[in-house]
Amino acid sequence: MTFDHHIIMLVNKFSDKTKAAGGNMPFIEVFDFEATSAQREVATELLTESLCMAYDISRSIVSIYFFDVSARGYGHAGRFHDKASVNRIFIKIHAFMRTETDRMVAAARITEATMLAYDTTSPKQIVVYFLDRDPSEVSHGGILESKNHINT
């Protein structure tokens, strides 16, 4: 099965299960290594669908920001640059509080989606951190989300 076929299957698997919702969250930050536009385009689709499935939210409220980590912008285990044993793609999810089960499902789906988008064979190259927020800690348009009564 080709890489493209895997992507199509994964997108089809997720696409019909999102629901319409209001709000302006969550945000995904992806720190990757000199990724191509094609990889990021696929990542945008798959990560969005993965999080929407896990959190039962609409695609319309998910934003993704990509940060390019250059060859000289990374170290691991006390080793810098090409001496680092592995380059890990680091993903941060900023969202309102979810259950541990929701985060577990999201972590598995996001890891799978990232592996497909970046053609990576090891899940250990993908790190996902959940930065859950209370609605009183998030403002859109100068209004706290706790005052908007939109908690998605």
Side-chain angles (χ1 to χ4, degrees):
M1 193 176 296
T2 67
F3 177 66
D4 289 338
H5 188 66
H6 281 290
I7 292 167
I8 291 166
M9 286 177 51
L10 189 60
V11 169
N12 289 340
K13 178 173 142 184
F14 294 152
S15 291
D16 59 357
K17 298 208 175 179
T18 59
K19 71 173 189 176
N24 295 304
M25 202 142 181
F27 293 97
I28 302 172
E29 294 180 62
V30 179
F31 295 81
D32 56 21
F33 296 87
E34 300 174 2
T36 66
S37 292
Q39 286 174 310
R40 286 181 171 178
E41 184 174 355
V42 171
T44 298
E45 178 67 29
L46 297 181
L47 292 174
T48 298
E49 291 300 329
S50 296
L51 196 61
C52 289
M53 284 295 298
Y55 284 4
D56 194 24
I57 57 175
S58 169
R59 301 167 53 94
S60 67
I61 65 170
V62 178
S63 297
I64 301 179
Y65 297 89
F66 292 94
F67 299 91
D68 185 36
V69 180
S70 72
R72 296 191 181 271
Y74 179 78
H76 177 71
R79 304 281 185 200
F80 176 67
H81 185 41
D82 57 355
K83 295 177 184 145
S85 61
V86 64
N87 287 344
R88 292 185 177 154
I89 298 172
F90 182 36
I91 299 172
K92 298 183 204 177
I93 310 294
H94 299 268
F96 296 136
M97 182 63 76
R98 296 304 197 285
T99 66
E100 183 176 1
T101 300
D102 288 342
R103 289 190 305 273
M104 184 175 62
V105 170
R109 289 183 184 274
I110 288 167
T111 299
E112 179 183 6
T114 305
M115 289 174 62
L116 285 171
Y118 291 91
D119 199 23
T120 302
T121 58
S122 174
K124 293 187 179 208
Q125 288 183 268
I126 316 300
V127 178
V128 180
Y129 277 39
F130 294 90
L131 303 162
D132 290 340
R133 304 281 185 221
D134 184 87
S136 69
E137 298 173 322
V138 177
S139 169
H140 293 104
I143 300 171
L144 289 177
E145 285 299 307
S146 59
K147 303 302 180 196
N148 269 339
H149 307 289
I150 301 173
N151 297 319
T152 52

